[in-house]
Amino acid sequence: MNSRRKFIKNVAFGTAAAAISPKLIAKSNFKPTGNFKPVVVSTWNHGLPANDVAWKIISGGGKAIDAVEKGIMIPENDPSVTSVGYGGLPDRDGNVTLDACIMDEKGNCGAVAFLQHIKNPISVARKVMDDTPHTMISGKGALDFALSKGFKKENLLTPEAKKRWEQWTKEKNYEPIINIENHDTIGMIALDKNGNLSGACTTSGLAWKMHGRVGDSPIIGAGLFVDNEVGAATATGKGEAVVKIAGTAIIVEMMRMGKSPQEACELAIKRISEKQSDYKDFQVGFLAINKKGEVGAYSIQKGFNYAMHNEDGKNMNDAPHLLQTNVRTY
Ligand code: SD4
């Protein structure tokens, strides 16, 4: 190697070494061993019945990836949950279009976006992960794929959701309201008895959205991210805001660098508030766990809650939030 190239190589190495402190390198190799404290957490009230199913699998020694898939199917199948699966509120043209993703302890992932007529998009996402070389399939391709895998084509627009859409078409006032229109996505993350982390996220997205709009929920690194060495995170709220900061990816990276799940969620919300000047007008909530089974949650506005189930039992928890008073009243 000539001396100039050698010099450049040394300078480049020196710069990289200076940029990454030994402390951070040590933290990034953080690998807790043994004695895992299994836990499952999910966004919002419908997380409780979803967690019941997931916890049964985990407490019986099952895998986190199966727990999150089966758990999340509960709100997908529930017509009273109006922002997930069957019964989800439609887009502005009256179509129910669904987004979902799933990620396992090996870093495998699968997602579907803009999927119509299939009640359990999370299971289609699982098939994308397990049976294809791809990570995301969308629209008609996702529907064709689901049908080829034996999923049933169904009408997902319930009479109640149709009524609400017809009501909306009278005014066509598209203004997502904090904690009402934005509140139903389920993100679930879990740690099983073998210390493996997995996560899943599923939604019908923002009510009355533009036809074809895809939010954060099916996007790995936005609505969901899992790294089995470190932790997992999921998001709810205005997807565009989450996508703009790669929300869950940065939370997991902050945990890798030594932040607790709570600190990491707070820093991600802070990032939104620093970069997005209209942050007071919408809601975003993050939920995270680490390999030690510690949990963190934080949102912009008041009102975000999450369900937790571990060996001590199950409960609902209100997340702390950035703004002390909601800007909107309703
Ligand atoms: C989206 N993040 O499509 C979803 C909506 C949501 O709770 O989370 N609702 O933007």
Side-chain angles (χ1 to χ4, degrees), residues 44 182-185 203 205-206 213 215-217 235-240:
W44 306 112
N182 285 353
H183 80 103
D184 274 325
T185 290
T203 192
L206 298 181
R213 180 263 186 190
D216 60 318
S217 304
T236 183
K238 187 181 166 196
E240 287 76 1

Side-chain angles (χ1 to χ4, degrees), residues 26-37:
K27 290 274 189 188
S28 71
N29 290 333
F30 160 75
K31 274 185 197 154
T33 48
N35 288 332
F36 293 105
K37 288 190 183 155

Side-chain angles (χ1 to χ4, degrees), residues 94-311:
N95 309 291
V96 179
T97 75
L98 306 175
D99 298 336
C101 73
I102 192 160
M103 190 165 192
D104 76 7
E105 77 283 358
K106 295 189 188 114
N108 297 315
C109 55
V112 286
F114 187 42
L115 172 64
Q116 297 184 59
H117 309 302
I118 303 290
K119 220 178 207 171
N120 295 118
I122 200 61
S123 298
V124 186
R126 174 102 191 237
K127 291 274 182 219
V128 172
M129 177 174 90
D130 289 345
D131 297 357
T132 80
H134 306 303
T135 53
M136 183 186 277
I137 305 189
S138 68
K140 183 171 179 302
L143 174 60
D144 291 345
F145 171 71
L147 297 176
S148 78
K149 291 286 169 188
F151 289 84
K152 214 168 87 202
K153 190 169 177 180
E154 293 177 70
N155 173 21
L156 304 181
L157 187 65
T158 57
E160 171 57 25
K162 189 162 180 244
K163 214 163 104 195
R164 286 181 64 182
W165 171 68
E166 281 165 354
Q167 189 62 31
W168 175 79
T169 57
K170 287 186 190 149
E171 293 192 5
K172 292 205 171 176
N173 177 18
Y174 181 63
E175 204 182 356
I177 300 170
I178 298 160
N179 286 337
I180 291 199
E181 225 165 21
N182 285 353
H183 80 103
D184 274 325
T185 290
I186 181 158
M188 176 186 279
I189 43 183
L191 177 69
D192 67 27
K193 285 184 171 174
N194 292 318
N196 284 322
L197 290 159
S198 293
C201 188
T202 186
T203 192
S204 54
L206 298 181
W208 335 132
K209 62 193 173 185
M210 283 176 71
H211 187 58
R213 180 263 186 190
V214 171
D216 60 318
S217 304
I219 297 177
I220 295 294
L224 176 75
F225 198 69
V226 177
D227 185 321
N228 207 40
E229 277 186 51
V230 180
T234 190
T236 183
K238 187 181 166 196
E240 287 76 1
V242 176
V243 168
K244 284 176 187 171
I245 63 151
T248 56
I250 65 168
I251 288 173
V252 171
E253 287 314 297
M254 288 189 275
M255 292 195 284
R256 190 191 309 279
M257 295 304 167
K259 299 292 179 200
S260 69
Q262 185 60 37
E263 289 168 332
C265 289
E266 290 182 18
L267 284 166
I269 290 291
K270 188 163 172 269
R271 180 78 55 88
I272 291 177
S273 72
E274 286 165 354
K275 302 257 179 199
Q276 298 175 36
S277 57
D278 59 342
Y279 73 96
K280 290 184 180 167
D281 292 337
F282 56 81
Q283 173 67 308
V284 168
F286 290 116
L287 180 59
I289 58 177
N290 66 12
K291 200 74 179 169
K292 293 188 245 173
E294 294 168 339
V295 177
Y298 200 64
S299 57
I300 300 176
Q301 318 279 344
K302 187 176 174 203
F304 171 45
N305 63 1
Y306 66 93
M308 176 160 109
H309 206 140
N310 62 15
E311 277 162 352

